[in-house]
Amino acid sequence: MSSLLVRHAAADDAQTIFGFVSGLIEDHLPGQAPWTSAERIETDGFGPDPLFEALIAERDAKPVGFVSFFRGYAGWRGKPMGIVHALYVLPEERRTGAARALMAAVAKIALERDWVRVELFVEEERPAIHFYEAIGMRDLHHRHMRLDGETLVHLANNCL
């Protein structure tokens, strides 16, 4: 197998990232159309106030996967931390080390930036849990809670 390169994504990678996000959605919710676009990804990730960063894994100059992440804050520790939002590798490239290389690159960035940790959320019973455990992540057994849509509006409109 040829060598793998992990590099920082740039604005002209927005369409590639969109393709990976579409693949991730297809893996989790087959038939669901993406809720975003390449234009939105370019604006949100590479505009004047980027909301995320991304790394691209390439083999033979062909993108084979990506990881997106952003800086958060570990309030109890009083330090910044990294939060991985999405990790995706093309099906034919899985189990080749691409996902491990992407996560290792995020870990290196975390150390360079003095982030206390890297976290992510993964759905229960997903096979990816085994991968994350294999690279040293611990399952904290926390529930990932979400407030959105009508319940978000209802709570916001019914506060003091």
Side-chain angles (χ1 to χ4, degrees):
M1 181 144 303
S2 57
S3 64
L4 188 74
L5 167 75
V6 175
R7 63 172 176 79
H8 287 273
D12 60 353
D13 291 310
Q15 186 64 49
T16 298
I17 293 170
F18 175 72
F20 289 142
V21 168
S22 298
L24 188 59
I25 292 169
E26 184 63 27
D27 278 358
H28 288 260
L29 301 167
Q32 172 64 54
W35 296 280
T36 191
S37 66
E39 294 77 21
R40 181 91 242 169
I41 289 168
E42 183 174 353
T43 299
D44 291 345
F46 307 98
D49 184 23
L51 299 174
F52 69 90
E53 295 177 64
L55 302 171
I56 305 279
E58 294 181 337
R59 191 177 309 281
D60 299 325
K62 176 190 173 224
V64 298
F66 94 113
V67 62
S68 65
F69 59 97
F70 54 94
R71 187 182 67 163
Y73 187 67
W76 290 11
R77 299 285 298 274
K79 295 197 91 171
M81 65 183 217
I83 301 170
V84 170
H85 173 257
L87 173 65
Y88 180 78
V89 173
L90 295 173
E92 64 272 18
E93 286 287 334
R94 292 177 185 164
R95 300 186 189 283
T96 67
R100 179 180 287 273
L102 286 162
M103 289 300 294
V106 172
K108 183 176 181 185
I109 289 168
L111 291 177
E112 290 169 352
R113 296 179 184 176
D114 198 29
W115 292 353
V116 69
R117 64 180 175 247
V118 174
E119 292 187 354
L120 56 79
F121 297 101
V122 62
E123 295 173 23
E124 292 180 39
E125 307 303 320
R126 295 298 296 189
I129 292 171
H130 301 296
F131 163 74
Y132 294 122
E133 289 175 337
I135 64 169
M137 296 188 93
R138 291 180 295 123
D139 185 352
L140 301 176
H141 302 285
H142 294 316
R143 301 266 330 240
H144 181 186
M145 305 299 288
R146 178 176 291 158
L147 181 65
D148 63 0
E150 290 299 316
T151 55
L152 174 69
V153 172
H154 178 74
L155 181 62
N157 290 335
N158 291 297
C159 65
L160 300 175

